[in-house]
């Protein structure tokens, strides 16, 4: 069975396949009175879209988002105001090459969902991964762009911290660098290393994994819930729903297994401004499932693209042993384009909890 | 706001605080015709309950589970048969020492949810952590015991693989060892190391983190969904909902960031028995959100208990700087008791997806 | 399958059978900072409980409600304050006479759920109707009592307007009469008619249907949603979930089929106080699924109790023709005790929508 | 806030306004392997679409449905097979005359949602009723057409039984008549009466209410749940979500208030074919919330269209008294087009429960 809606009050339903006419989403529960332009959405879609550098798939998609419902257009012809009704967004698929996929219609590509799909559904849209294509994430990014509008003053940014064994030096972290390279990399010194490394990966038709970190600042304190629907739980759930993600961390994550209670607990003092001050942020901005007002820090690991040029052993739908190599256009490191998707997922989780606390009547309440 | 239900068809609602009269859960959606005895539930509660060794909290709770609804008792006076109606289970709190907590009623213990709670709710049951107490997890374990009954033939086992920096040697893995030591440790050689290490932690009033691994075998292939409600997403969500968990992995987890596509993709061959065979299990038994029939492998990191005897800097509800040390009875490594909880969460996630695919009329369908 | 939770933010899960040890509910999502006493709940349970007059079942149940979680008890030992965590409430079954039911264990009572249950579940708790017993509604009433506390200033009252063919004269409507008779009847002149009529029904071992009307006053305007999750839709859904209910109306209900547009549309004028004023209330306080501030008027029809002393034709689980008469203690007009249940359902629906609009942080916002 | 999804496993999300570029829905949870053609959907949309006779609105919409995702097209270019992923359907709005509505942008039409909308959202798409337009129901009908495919062998048909005070004679009921007149009327003798009556209504610019009855045959027994998520509850909820509906009945409905237990309970006998046989169907095919295998009978009342040519008293958004008459193109009896919508809602409710019982792996299970 299929479940394609997430969120409890800020609810997003996505639909669409890689090689159908279009994909999109319906955002239900966006409060009325929020204003935005198409450009406010497009800027995030452009960050995610393919063909931006030689390090990502060369499929060419404009990924132009259309808004079909839920808004009133202002007299300026550009500004839209939400009305509180569901917002349907649509992105057309334009650069499809279905014939690339004919020879894997009945062959199970190792690492892909092909085998599991056939087991489950008995039918599979093999073209470009069908529903499991990373193209689905364009709809998430559109929803995430709206989610940002729901949370007053929030800043949500994602970066790559690791490609293969090459990890950034956190002392070099510079937010200003992130948009200056094709990797969403905050460490300028790492950029040439990754470039050389990925050129090698790309030319050999191989692929490699990555780690992405998303930081959300100016998140109101008090969002979340103590046991279930923890804010970190909902963030983890949405990050894990991204294709190819195999691990999620909040704050110290797995490193916290090696910490003592003294090291791990973030101490507090009253600040000079009379406000509570945390002296560290091992918790990643969430304690007991509830945001503390500190930056929320989430991290996720993306496995290497399973589509590689090297032949791998597999079977086909008829039970024959076969060797499979995956042609077509693919990302050598699908983690690169995952940064804007991770941002979108964190934005949606926060917006959802924001509305649970603040309600949805009239304009968003600061 | 509070959300205390999980699952879509196998739905569990938990309730209760550390120092109230009782805690419990309602399991809604359990199919009719499933037979069990109280002992079938109690065996799992006993694995989780406190006071089992010197390495866990010395609070003494019998954790006897009662079933208040949803079953018909057989003439043998022991066997219960589910009727398809909600199963209410209740566990009384017996060994409460609320006076231990008086001095933290208005002080925020670093690393605990105290500060975030007060911000959110303006009221806080400070006794033993209130709703955030690990006692809540007894209800999860009871639900998990029922969930196992829903999935024919499944085996779900949790172990500790790491305490502090001390990791097991996976070559020593022996399932038979797990019940032979107080750590759910599959590596006999590691047991004395952890004993000595934790004795030191315990005596100094400190605490330490841990990593738990849960393996589910004989899970039917085809459970899950391609994009949202992925089986791994739902497992990650439930594991992250356990108190103190800061990271979750499926299969290779974060290590997959360092793997090439060739290394990561699990190759396949037809087996001698005419059935598909995976040659490795980097995926952890789930591809594209759907179970493959291989063992499902999930891992989660638990931070060190925040309750420590060393004074830490903090503030109180009145905005004063204070120093806090946490008396009372606590686990030096809360990760130890997390193994049966992790098992329960994985069991509930699988049972839920099992029912989504198989439906719920009449007896469970094999 | 079984689904025993309702509400989206004010979520109620009920459990329990007629002849188990207890029944109860978990109210999840009740905002923190709401104060109440057990007596505030008990007063509504007492209105619903059996044995109050000769016109309802003579089963004797004290229906004492216990609160097991989600509150802090004040120093006065009486006042409870909600903490925002789930509130578990429990009511013990004390007056069970299971032996009354032995002879219908395998016989399907006409009009009851017996046949449908066996078809669906293959197992049935035949004692007192099992889960389908009207005793389940005690849990609803407890939840409804809490729901009233969530909505500032609201008044929700239910009355009987019809028993059999005997309808009240709406010109005689006097709220003060409702608590002065055993029928929740607002028309004093109708009381002796119903008394004589029901005495006849009762003595002949027969039963009769009824119509109940629930009026909610001081409901904030703007609750609900335009298309789905309409406030009237959610009220109708909850009223229809009450046992034996076969019809639900809002405002004019079925009578609106006979009205012209001119007659039906409620005209408006600005009132002398500068506030909008409706000149009539055919809509029953809800337009386009959204509350208008006018009193909300809902009505529901309850079929006659199916448990009657006259023999009726039926079959048994073995496929034999049998004649069934239902002994045991029953309500001659189950509609009488449905008035407080209807109130509770309307209260829960309104509280749920109130929280959707206002959110749930801190105390309830007026 | 806005909630535009219904169903638990067969989940439908609708979106769109009267005067936006398009409207549509996403059907999530439709099992894989179901085949259909666009014509299979269009036939139901054509029954609902405007401009079919002089008795409905003269707005001209082709209501051509497009399927954007969730299917594989066969080589015949016509047959689609569901893949188990979400099915996005889109219907363009073509005949919009927004200028008709300029003068009610700030005036509240009595009986419409205008006043409640402004109270709630502070912004309102006044063109053609915006989200509250009956055009939204085209999306429901498309979803309902798919729902029918999910339930093997089911027949679901809706008829009008009453317009104004004119009720059909049930003894004249002839299913063959329903498609022979513009009223979905099963009583041929009533057709000329309604024609003359509605011509009068239409010419005077007035409107009138109606009652629709939906009958579902060959519904599998055992669908539903005992207390909440009763099949009748879910049908009532969806019928009440249709615009202008003010009352819902199952089986005898409100008439059951006047029945004795002897009259109301449907007796049973074993049939000559060895199958259980009901001797009557007062219950409307549902007992204890569970389908019995008898025809399911649901009825709903639709109020008169609030858009009438006669001036009515109202206010505007600035607090002035105004007189409003509604120009534009409207249905004199909106109940006529409600028959196919009611069918769709019943189909969706049954499909949802069917999947809850049967699960969703692979093809639909008979």
């Amino acid at each position: 069975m299929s479940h394609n809606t997430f969120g409890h009050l800020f609810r997003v339903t996505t639909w669409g396949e890689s090689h159908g006419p279009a994909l999109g989403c319906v955002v239900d529960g966006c409060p009325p009175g929020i204003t935005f332009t198409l450009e406010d959405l497009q800027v995030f879609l452009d960050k995610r879209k393919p063909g931006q550098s030689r390090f990502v798939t060369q499929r060419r998609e404009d990924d132009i988002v259309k808004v079909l419902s839920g808004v009133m257009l202002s007299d300026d012809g550009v500004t839209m105001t939400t009305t509180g009704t569901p917002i349907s967004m649509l992105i057309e698929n334009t650069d499809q090459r279905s014939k690339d996929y004919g020879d894997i219609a009945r062959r199970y590509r190792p690492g892909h969902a092909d085998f599991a799909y056939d087991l489950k559904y008995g039918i599979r849209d093999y073209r470009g991964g069908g529903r499991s294509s990373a193209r689905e994430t364009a709809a998430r990014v559109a929803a995430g762009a709206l989610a940002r509008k729901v949370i007053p003053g929030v800043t949500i940014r994602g970066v790559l911290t690791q490609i293969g064994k090459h990890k950034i030096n956190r002392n070099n972290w510079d937010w200003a660098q992130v948009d200056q390279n094709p990797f969403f990399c905050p460490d300028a010194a790492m950029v040439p290393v990754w470039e050389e490394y990925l050129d090698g990966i790309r030319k050999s038709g191989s692929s490699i994994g990555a780690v992405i970190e998303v930081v959300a600042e100016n998140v109101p304190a008090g969002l979340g819930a103590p046991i279930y629907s923890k804010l970190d739980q909902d963030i983890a759930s949405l990050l894990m729903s991204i294709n190819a993600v195999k691990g999620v961390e909040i704050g110290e994550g797995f490193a916290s297994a090696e910490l003592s209670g003294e090291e791990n607990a973030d101490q507090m003092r009253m600040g000079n401004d009379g406000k509570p001050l945390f002296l560290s942020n091992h918790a990643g901005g969430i304690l007991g499932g509830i945001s503390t007002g500190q930056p929320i820090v989430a991290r996720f690991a993306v496995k290497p693209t399973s589509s590689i040029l090297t032949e791998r052993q597999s079977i086909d739908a008829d039970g024959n042993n076969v060797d499979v190599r995956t042609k077509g256009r693919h990302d050598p490191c699908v983690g690169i384009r995952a940064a804007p998707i991770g941002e979108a997922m964190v934005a949606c989780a926060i917006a959802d909890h924001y509305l649970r606390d603040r309600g949805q009547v009239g304009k968003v309440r600061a």
Side-chain angles (χ1 to χ4, degrees), chain A residues 102-116:
Chain A
D103 54 352
I104 52 106
R106 296 185 62 78
R107 289 160 168 242
Y108 302 137
R109 294 166 298 167
H112 276 287
D114 304 347
F115 173 71

Side-chain angles (χ1 to χ4, degrees), chain A residues 44 47-49 56 137 141 148 156-161 175 178-179 181-186 194 210-215 239 242-243 245 298 300 302 333-347:
Chain A
F44 293 105
K47 286 176 69 175
R48 189 215 71 94
K49 82 177 177 189
V56 296
T137 59
V141 171
R148 291 168 194 262
I156 301 170
R157 292 179 289 189
V159 304
L160 262 72
T161 61
W175 282 113
V178 176
D179 289 335
N181 61 73
F183 306 113
F184 305 105
C185 179
W194 285 356
V211 175
I212 294 95
E213 184 167 315
V214 178
V215 180
L239 292 178
I242 302 172
N243 293 322
V245 173
F300 59 102
V302 177
C333 175
V334 76
I336 297 174
R337 290 167 59 210
I341 306 165
E343 293 176 5
M345 294 294 89
V346 171

Side-chain angles (χ1 to χ4, degrees), chain A residues 18-37:
Chain A
S18 173
H19 284 64
L23 57 89
C25 66
V26 182
V27 176
D28 192 12
C30 191
I34 292 179
T35 55
F36 68 97
T37 66

